[in-house]
Amino acid sequence: VFDLSAMSVQMDWDFGSPRSERRATSWASPVKHLGTPCTPTRPAWLSRCEAACARSRFPCSFALNQGNKSEDRLLIDCCEDDVLWAVFDGHRSSAVSGYASLVFASLVWSQAGWPSRPGEALRSALEACNEQARDEMLEGGSTAVAVAS
């Protein structure tokens, strides 16, 4: 059970099907498990974003309302007094947006232009992230919006 801002979601899995056909059978409905129950854990991105909001010198909060494809990723990160917010809109897959949400912050903070030239640092970090995703031959693509202070 995930508790996200007073909204509880329970995912039940159908373990009676062959592995290739296993799927979530329902949301918020009780289902008898025919095997070992699958207990989803709190998503790592949620914990990272909450921790960054707590460390931020700016008042900040977030909400990520993903569509049924779940290709979008959110990033909130802090480095000393600096804060980075980014949204990665995945295309055809969540591979690139997921990768970008994991590596982009460290790319920004390590840029020679950060923090004296933030625009240059963000641009260079996006270019580096793009090249790394290509080198990894990840499926799909992503559009990004990033703000840093």
Side-chain angles (χ1 to χ4, degrees):
V1 176
F2 298 104
D3 187 12
L4 303 174
S5 303
M7 178 184 77
S8 293
V9 178
Q10 179 178 344
M11 184 187 310
D12 295 309
W13 291 87
D14 179 8
F15 282 88
S17 303
R19 178 176 219 122
S20 63
E21 297 176 2
R22 289 183 187 168
R23 65 190 188 291
T25 57
S26 65
W27 291 90
S29 68
V31 172
K32 289 184 180 178
H33 295 287
L34 300 176
T36 305
C38 175
T39 305
T41 58
R42 183 178 180 84
W45 69 267
L46 180 61
S47 298
R48 286 192 305 265
C49 289
E50 286 175 343
C53 285
R55 291 189 324 266
S56 172
R57 64 185 170 119
F58 301 102
C60 94
S61 63
F62 63 93
L64 180 61
N65 297 317
Q66 292 185 325
N68 60 354
K69 295 181 184 178
S70 299
E71 296 173 341
D72 302 340
R73 296 294 183 265
L74 173 69
L75 167 67
I76 304 172
D77 194 60
C78 296
C79 181
E80 297 176 16
D81 286 339
D82 300 322
V83 184
L84 172 66
W85 296 272
V87 176
F88 301 95
D89 178 15
H91 301 268
R92 296 182 309 158
S93 166
S94 63
V96 174
S97 58
Y99 180 80
S101 71
L102 294 174
V103 302
F104 185 65
S106 62
L107 291 171
V108 171
W109 307 137
S110 66
Q111 292 298 313
W114 186 262
S116 60
R117 297 182 313 278
E120 181 182 311
L122 288 170
R123 185 178 312 106
S124 296
L126 285 169
E127 290 171 356
C129 187
N130 181 57
E131 290 306 314
Q132 288 179 10
R134 281 185 180 180
D135 291 345
E136 295 287 327
M137 296 189 295
L138 299 176
E139 181 183 342
S142 181
T143 302
V145 176
V147 177
S149 172

